[in-house]
Amino acid sequence: MKAVLPVSSTAGSIGDGAPVVLGEVSEPEPHDGELVLAVEAYSVNRGETFQLDGQLDRRWPGWRPGKDVAGTVIRAAADGTGPGAGARVVAHPPAYGWAERVAVPTAHVAELPDSIDAVTAAALPLAGITALRLLRAAGPVAGRRVLLTGASGGVGHYVTELAASCGAAVTAVSATAERGARLLELGAVELVTSVDEAQGPFDVALESVGGSSLPAALSRLAPGALLVWFGQASRVPVTLDFFDFFKGPLQARIAHFDYTSSDTTYAEDLAALVRLVSAGRLHPEIGTVRDWSRTGDVIAELRDRQVRGNAILTVG
């Protein structure tokens, strides 16, 4: 079968200077508790582009990208768990999803209703699960002021809509007003293009940019408030002078967040995201939809921050 591979593999190029190629691989052989699905659409995440660049040490021998997929089950799990053959599903495999077929643990799968197509579903897993778990880490947000940096990406759109629907007053930070315009429609009360423009104090800061963004967000916290650090999209390390705590908010806290740390299964969160979309309470922001032969082009656009929201590739 065909699959998208890192450039170290020998196959045909996908896009000029792309870090991926299209080639032939063996059919997936499911382990216990795994089903096989025919992939109809997948999402490209910025973290996967960093992995392809070698900037994140998350690979293993034979690694291929692909964590967000939607499609149809063609081989049910042998142990009887999970959806049966013919079921339409959204899934979050650990890798290998940029392919015609992929094996996925049934604990990482949720069924789809007819009202949700594969393109919409493929935008849900990593960004949606991250948003759900990030808000749980932040605690109750009803009536609280929330500062969200890096808000124009897929996670930011979900966090904004989910937090606003819970009664939070979200100040969203986006590199440009154009990239962040949709956030106001999703419920943000304010959109700024720099943390320096944000008027605190904030009860919660959700920080994903790194560099100078984190200390700037920290300085705008209310006494006893919480900053949750969940990414470093700028790829610039944070330099933090802890003596600033003496000048800043009393009893402020910093917590590191990793969406994989709270649970190693994703079925329940995927099912929750599917219910919210089906009920019209969550609206995935899909910035571009392309044929999977354009994967390299999409990766380049994500690196240049030309895509607002999720980037989806369709297979076949």
Side-chain angles (χ1 to χ4, degrees):
M1 71 171 185
K2 294 187 183 301
V4 177
L5 316 173
V7 288
S8 57
S9 302
T10 56
S13 177
I14 302 181
D16 295 336
V20 292
V21 293
L22 187 62
E24 293 287 335
V25 298
S26 300
E27 290 286 343
E29 289 294 334
H31 298 293
D32 290 341
E34 291 186 341
L35 53 75
V36 177
L37 65 89
V39 179
E40 297 172 25
Y42 60 82
S43 176
V44 178
N45 298 292
R46 283 184 60 82
E48 288 169 315
T49 70
F50 295 147
Q51 286 179 294
L52 288 167
D53 288 342
Q55 297 182 51
L56 291 181
D57 187 18
R58 298 278 178 126
R59 291 200 270 180
W60 53 85
W63 175 86
R64 291 188 275 112
K67 296 174 70 70
D68 290 3
V69 300
T72 301
V73 177
I74 58 173
R75 182 175 173 182
D79 63 359
T81 61
R88 297 179 59 251
V89 298
V90 58
H92 191 46
Y96 308 119
W98 299 0
E100 291 181 301
R101 290 168 288 282
V102 64
V104 187
T106 56
H108 297 185
V109 174
E111 290 197 58
L112 294 171
D114 293 339
S115 60
I116 301 179
D117 60 31
V119 168
T120 301
L124 292 175
L126 190 146
I129 293 168
T130 299
L132 282 178
R133 297 183 175 188
L134 186 61
L135 287 171
R136 290 179 194 141
V141 295
R144 306 179 79 190
R145 298 194 69 207
V146 176
L147 177 65
L148 174 64
T149 68
S152 59
V155 174
H157 282 87
Y158 288 134
V159 168
T160 298
E161 186 168 20
L162 290 170
S165 68
C166 292
V170 179
T171 293
V173 184
S174 173
T176 67
E178 180 183 8
R179 282 177 57 81
R182 175 69 171 150
L183 298 165
L184 295 172
E185 299 175 19
L186 294 175
V189 298
E190 183 182 23
L191 175 68
V192 296
T193 57
S194 168
V195 178
D196 294 334
E197 299 173 19
Q199 298 297 313
F202 294 96
D203 302 298
V204 177
L206 305 176
E207 213 299 292
S208 66
V209 175
S212 62
S213 180
L214 190 150
L218 180 64
S219 69
R220 284 159 175 76
L221 291 182
L226 172 67
L227 184 148
V228 182
W229 175 68
F230 69 102
Q232 192 165 282
S234 68
R235 314 310 294 162
V236 177
V238 172
T239 299
L240 189 61
D241 184 347
F242 278 86
F243 283 102
D244 287 343
F245 274 106
F246 293 106
K247 299 178 290 185
L250 296 174
Q251 304 297 320
R253 296 168 293 146
I254 299 177
H256 174 238
F257 170 84
D258 181 344
Y259 87 103
T260 66
S261 62
S262 61
D263 191 358
T264 57
T265 64
Y266 306 108
E268 289 187 6
D269 283 344
L270 285 172
L273 293 166
V274 168
R275 288 194 301 271
L276 288 167
V277 173
S278 182
R281 297 176 58 192
L282 189 66
H283 301 83
E285 181 70 7
I286 298 173
T288 186
V289 180
R290 313 278 186 86
D291 181 81
W292 71 323
S293 62
R294 303 289 301 279
T295 300
D297 298 330
V298 169
I299 290 172
E301 292 172 11
L302 283 169
R303 287 171 172 166
D304 294 338
R305 297 186 176 278
Q306 297 177 20
V307 179
R308 181 182 68 188
N310 294 92
I312 309 297
L313 286 303
T314 56
V315 180

